[in-house]
Amino acid sequence: MTIQSSEILETIRMVADQNFDVRTITIGIDLHDCITNDIAQLNQNIYNKITTIGKDLVETAKILSAKYGVPIVNQRISVTPIAQIAAATKADSYVSIAQTLDRAAKAIGVSFIGGFSALVQKGMSPSDEVLIRSIPEAMKSTDIVCSSINIGSTRAGINMDAVKLAGETIKRTADITPEGFGCAKIVVFCNAVEDNPFMAGAFHGSGEADAVINVGVSGPGVVKEALANSNATSLTEVAEVVKKTAFKITRVGELIGQEASKMLNIPFGILDLSLAPTPAVGDSVARILETMGLTVCGTHGTTAALALLNDAVKKGGMMASSAVGGLSGAFIPVSEDEGMIAAAESGILTLDKLEAMTAVCSVGLDMIAVPGSTPAHTISGIIADEAAIGMINSKTTAVRIIPVSGKNVGESVEFGGLLGYAPIMPVKEGSCEVFVNRGGRIPAPVQSMKN
Amino acid sequence: MANSVITVIGKDRVGIVYDVSKILAENQINIVNITQQLMDDYFTMIILVDTSKCSKSFPELAEFFTQESKNLALDIRLQNEEIFKAMHRI
């Protein structure tokens, strides 16, 4: 079988000019066997397990990256939600566990560790509550620990007590970390998936094996260039181009995932094909939508364009790998996407439009900076709205929102690196305080009678 | 072991094939197949190689070619052949 020169050059162009990369190799690690009632011992067990299983991850990624000539940008660890692991300690703070995760992750050289998490969609155990209350201090005293809370699901409804607490937690984190930066590491989910390798929402679900390799692939630039260089005229043809491109990039992830699995002797879990943008020019999801024929992302037609893109990515990916999972689709973080930033700065991409877009794409309101004066109950209201979209539509939705202390609409905030920068976006006047303070649970929706 | 593909892209000049084949020979990298063409002013060469006799590891080779790319003012990349099979063949 000979490979055509044009195919070789196409692959090289993807990597060299279009920012194609394997975004992350993530080892998911189950921590249930670390459980003990002594928190010092628990910390030691967690440290030992992570550093033993993860010790060769960074080196393996380096070898594979060199072998195939494709950048593997991040190596990460996700662990069992800590609220489940720490319950037996009866401790009143889990900050020391976050610090242990931070130390272990740094010891093996990974860029992030996710799983300082609680799943409270139906109810909150005392341990879940301790975990959530530990989040602000944990975010302040660690560098690379990511935290998530699942506050709702289609089967359980929305736990509004947890939504209220999540709003307060984000607000508190914003107050005690510089420019609210800690909030960039907190995701509030509805219908969280348990095999997601993308941060900040990665954790290792209870239904997973002892350790698994999950791979996240990304290439918004590749899709945009493929569209720009194609002869596609109708949207049917546009979808076809996206599908074929998604197929090619997924296959690279599959190859690298399988190989990493062999080298590390850890089973291959899933491949997450997501168009995850970066602040680099040419690596933007917003620009793909604009290539389809919008003058600016956020104008009318954006939701439809995003729906087409998201679905075509999934279709191409499914054909390319038999283990597509995670959140596969298009991500629309504002601060991490050069096109989204520009659209938000122009005032055309608003919180309302972003919320509508989340109904048809992966995840949800992501990396959105709002005024520091935004009250906790307003943040809870935003979370509840987003969770409702996920709950009713049987999909994952999430909120990663950053109230930037001391800043207001018209200013912007710089997070640096992959997290980018963001204009402060306005939130609505009016108050949902009484609604949020009612607490209780929004009942699970009926699954038949879809309309 | 699968072969690797080396691509060389750069502004055309005298001696590119010589320069590249010299560094391959010095590293015990055997050429299996070689094609080369000029696209406008740009020289492109695709070399199928067998690296099994080379003593360098993949990360060392990647580093080596990055360095040689600078020295020779060319873009030289090494990629295992499997990636092209995976991407372009069902």
Side-chain angles (χ1 to χ4, degrees):
Chain A
M1 187 177 67
T2 51
I3 308 286
Q4 306 286 323
S5 307
S6 59
E7 293 167 339
I8 292 173
L9 294 174
E10 180 190 339
T11 304
I12 292 192
R13 266 200 308 276
M14 283 183 180
V15 173
D17 305 332
Q18 300 160 13
N19 299 313
F20 171 53
D21 56 42
V22 171
R23 188 59 55 85
T24 177
I25 301 183
T26 302
I27 304 185
I29 301 176
D30 185 294
L31 295 182
H32 281 95
D33 57 359
C34 296
I35 292 176
T36 156
N37 57 10
D38 174 16
I39 193 160
Q41 187 59 48
L42 175 69
N43 275 314
Q44 192 58 49
N45 292 352
I46 290 174
Y47 184 87
N48 293 349
K49 183 152 188 187
I50 292 169
T51 49
T52 307
I53 291 180
K55 67 179 190 308
D56 296 327
L57 174 60
V58 172
E59 186 57 28
T60 301
K62 208 164 131 192
I63 292 170
L64 291 176
S65 182
K67 181 171 177 184
Y68 293 110
V70 174
I72 301 175
V73 187
N74 296 296
Q75 296 86 49
R76 294 166 174 173
I77 300 287
S78 65
V79 297
T80 313
I82 291 300
Q84 296 171 11
I85 302 306
T89 63
K90 311 273 187 231
D92 55 9
S93 162
Y94 295 160
V95 174
S96 70
I97 302 176
Q99 289 164 343
T100 301
L101 295 175
D102 203 50
R103 263 193 309 125
K106 285 172 180 167
I108 56 173
V110 298
S111 58
F112 274 120
I113 182 161
F116 195 71
S117 308
L119 310 182
V120 294
Q121 58 270 29
K122 206 165 180 185
M124 236 184 314
S125 70
S127 179
D128 292 325
E129 194 168 339
V130 171
L131 184 121
I132 297 172
R133 291 195 187 284
S134 302
I135 288 175
E137 194 56 39
M139 293 300 103
K140 186 186 171 194
S141 62
T142 62
D143 298 313
I144 54 174
V145 174
C146 292
S147 179
S148 58
I149 315 169
N150 191 56
I151 48 83
S153 75
T154 301
R155 292 190 65 98
I158 300 173
N159 181 345
M160 287 300 291
D161 295 320
V163 169
K164 180 169 185 286
L165 186 55
E168 292 162 2
T169 302
I170 287 172
K171 188 75 184 153
R172 171 94 188 113
T173 309
D175 287 342
I176 64 169
T177 58
E179 304 224 286
F181 180 74
C183 299
K185 297 179 285 176
I186 306 173
V187 182
V188 183
F189 276 115
C190 178
N191 286 323
V193 295
E194 307 198 338
D195 55 6
N196 156 33
F198 283 103
M199 294 295 172
F203 65 88
H204 186 75
S206 326
E208 299 280 323
D210 190 51
V212 292
I213 302 268
N214 293 333
V215 171
V217 191
S218 186
V222 179
V223 173
K224 183 190 165 281
E225 281 304 305
L227 277 180
N229 299 331
S230 76
N231 300 319
T233 48
S234 76
L235 291 173
T236 318
E237 289 161 357
V238 165
E240 196 60 26
V241 172
V242 175
K243 225 162 66 177
K244 284 179 181 156
T245 313
F247 175 85
K248 288 180 187 173
I249 58 188
T250 307
R251 295 276 283 198
V252 175
E254 171 86 3
L255 176 70
I256 286 180
Q258 296 287 0
E259 191 110 338
S261 160
K262 263 184 240 149
M263 286 173 71
L264 291 162
N265 198 22
I266 296 174
F268 181 44
I270 58 102
L271 180 76
D272 185 323
L273 168 65
S274 283
L275 298 183
T278 69
V281 173
D283 208 16
S284 155
V285 170
R287 299 296 183 202
I288 301 177
L289 304 178
E290 292 171 0
T291 305
M292 286 188 203
L294 308 170
T295 55
V296 54
C297 176
T299 189
H300 302 291
T302 303
T303 313
L306 182 60
L308 181 159
L309 174 68
N310 204 56
D311 181 68
V313 165
K314 287 182 182 172
K315 284 173 178 162
M318 277 170 80
M319 166 80 182
S321 163
S322 43
V324 177
L327 294 164
S328 297
F331 283 15
I332 51 168
V334 175
S335 79
E336 299 171 3
D337 185 311
E338 160 271 319
M340 294 276 176
I341 295 167
E345 278 174 341
S346 74
I348 291 171
L349 183 64
T350 61
L351 210 52
D352 287 357
K353 189 61 179 177
L354 281 164
E355 186 182 306
M357 288 161 76
T358 63
V360 300
C361 79
S362 297
V363 207
L365 295 173
D366 199 9
M367 289 305 284
I368 292 167
V370 296
S373 57
T374 310
H377 53 78
T378 297
I379 293 170
S380 294
I382 293 170
I383 294 169
D385 281 345
E386 192 54 37
I389 291 173
M391 172 182 78
I392 297 287
N393 296 300
S394 303
K395 73 182 290 295
T396 306
T397 51
V399 173
R400 186 160 52 141
I401 194 165
I402 303 134
V404 184
S405 309
K407 290 207 171 170
N408 221 322
V409 177
E411 295 177 273
S412 66
V413 56
E414 176 81 47
F415 299 117
L418 273 182
L419 297 172
Y421 82 101
I424 311 285
M425 295 174 81
V427 297
K428 289 200 181 296
E429 298 292 320
S431 170
C432 58
E433 188 170 7
V434 175
F435 177 77
V436 167
N437 282 340
R438 282 176 186 273
R441 191 147 55 94
I442 298 179
V446 62
Q447 301 253 26
S448 59
M449 291 172 68
K450 288 264 186 194
N451 52 30
Chain B
M1 201 186 114
N3 291 325
S4 291
V5 173
I6 290 174
T7 46
V8 182
I9 303 173
K11 210 160 167 47
D12 194 29
R13 61 173 166 81
V14 172
I16 294 181
V17 178
Y18 169 79
D19 286 341
V20 175
S21 50
K22 183 164 167 278
I23 59 171
L24 297 185
E26 283 165 3
N27 285 281
Q28 294 293 307
I29 297 172
N30 193 33
I31 296 176
V32 178
N33 196 351
I34 183 165
T35 60
Q36 165 266 295
Q37 63 174 320
L38 271 183
M39 292 161 75
D40 299 323
D41 273 354
Y42 274 83
F43 174 93
T44 57
M45 177 161 67
I46 295 173
I47 315 169
L48 190 65
V49 295
D50 175 0
T51 56
S52 56
K53 289 205 174 70
C54 175
S55 58
K56 289 188 168 72
S57 69
F58 280 111
E60 284 164 355
L61 274 179
E63 179 58 36
F64 173 74
F65 285 122
T66 307
Q67 195 50 49
E68 288 298 330
S69 293
K70 280 189 201 135
N71 297 346
L72 301 172
L74 295 166
D75 178 13
I76 310 175
R77 289 164 191 267
L78 172 103
Q79 290 174 286
N80 189 279
E81 189 188 25
E82 288 299 317
I83 189 169
F84 304 106
K85 287 186 185 163
M87 280 179 86
H88 301 287
R89 296 287 177 273
I90 295 178

